[in-house]
Amino acid sequence: MAAAELERLRMAGAGMAIAVLTSGGDAQGMNAAVRAVTRMGIYVGAKVFLIYEVGYPPAPCHIWGTSTPPVSRYPSPPLPSSLQGYEGLVEGGDNIKQANWLSVSNIIQLGGTVIGSARCKAFTTRAGRLRAAHNLVEHGITNLCVIGGDGSLTGADIFRSEWAGLLEELVRDGG
C-alpha cells in the first residue's frame, strides 16, 4: 500500500465515534474481535468506546482493568441470546467508556469477554432501545459494533431499523 493510501485510511474515521459491545454467550475470539475493532478504529482516527456490562469490570488490575479474570456470570443455560447483552448501552453512564490502545492490550488470550455480556430484557422494549439511543447520542457515538451471535445481531437489526424513529422521538421529547 502506498504512503498516500495509508494516510487516507488513517484519516477515514476522523469525526466518527464507534461503540463496541459484546452480547449473548461468551465465545472464543470475542476478545480478539473487541481488540481488532478498537485498534482499527483508533488507527483510522475514530473515537472508540467500550460498552461494559453493568457493574463490570470489578476493581482495577495491571493487565486489563479488573481484579480477577472475567468469567461468565451465567453458567446456567442462557436465555435466548436476543435477551442478552446491551445492558450497559441501556443503562449508560460509567458503562460506556472511551478506549485507548492500552485498553485492549493483553486480552486476546483471555476467555470470555473482558467487557462483559449480560441479560437485558429492557432492550427488548422500545423504551429500552430509546434509552440506548439517548446514551449513544449523549456520547456522540455514530457507529455501533455488536459482537455476538444470531440473537445479538437480530437486536442490532431491530435497533437499526428503528433508529430514525428513536431519534425523532428524542428530539420531540427533548431527550
Side-chain angles (χ1 to χ4, degrees), residues 52-63:
Y52 290 86
E53 173 185 333
V54 173
Y56 201 82
C61 165
H62 72 287
I63 299 176

Side-chain angles (χ1 to χ4, degrees), residues 126 130 160-172:
R126 183 169 174 86
L130 185 64
R160 180 207 50 81
S161 69
E162 292 181 350
W163 184 250
L166 293 168
L167 291 182
E168 287 173 11
E169 195 171 331
L170 287 171
V171 169
R172 185 185 68 234

